[in-house]
Amino acid sequence: MTDLSIVALTGALLLTGLLVAGVFASRAWSQWLEVRKLELASGRPQADEPIAPAAAGTDRIELADLKARIRKLEAIASGIDL
């Protein structure tokens, strides 16, 4: 075999391998998307979604922050300097 035919054969094999890997990756991506659709359709909370107690804790922090702001505004309105 000549050098040119070896290079052509190697190139063809590499392109074939790349094509097979691309088809495999495409099918894997499609199947992963299908799994995610089914998980979202199930209605159960996902692992990356916050759960209710964490959200309640955040609400408490925001409520405490608002109360502190109200106290400061009331102090300013009554003429008391903090």
Side-chain angles (χ1 to χ4, degrees):
M1 289 178 49
T2 64
D3 291 336
L4 184 59
S5 63
I6 291 174
V7 170
L9 181 63
T10 305
L13 288 173
L14 286 173
L15 283 175
T16 303
L18 193 59
L19 179 68
V20 169
V23 169
F24 176 76
S26 175
R27 288 189 55 116
W29 177 255
S30 175
Q31 292 298 318
W32 182 81
L33 287 176
E34 189 65 32
V35 167
R36 290 296 292 166
K37 284 179 189 176
L38 291 173
E39 286 177 354
L40 291 173
S42 71
R44 291 186 287 159
Q46 303 299 313
D48 54 350
E49 291 180 8
I51 54 175
T58 305
D59 291 340
R60 290 184 194 140
I61 293 170
E62 290 176 3
L63 185 59
D65 185 40
L66 289 174
K67 286 181 180 180
R69 288 183 184 181
I70 290 171
R71 275 188 250 122
K72 287 181 184 178
L73 289 172
E74 287 174 344
I76 291 171
S78 65
I80 300 172
D81 202 16
L82 294 177

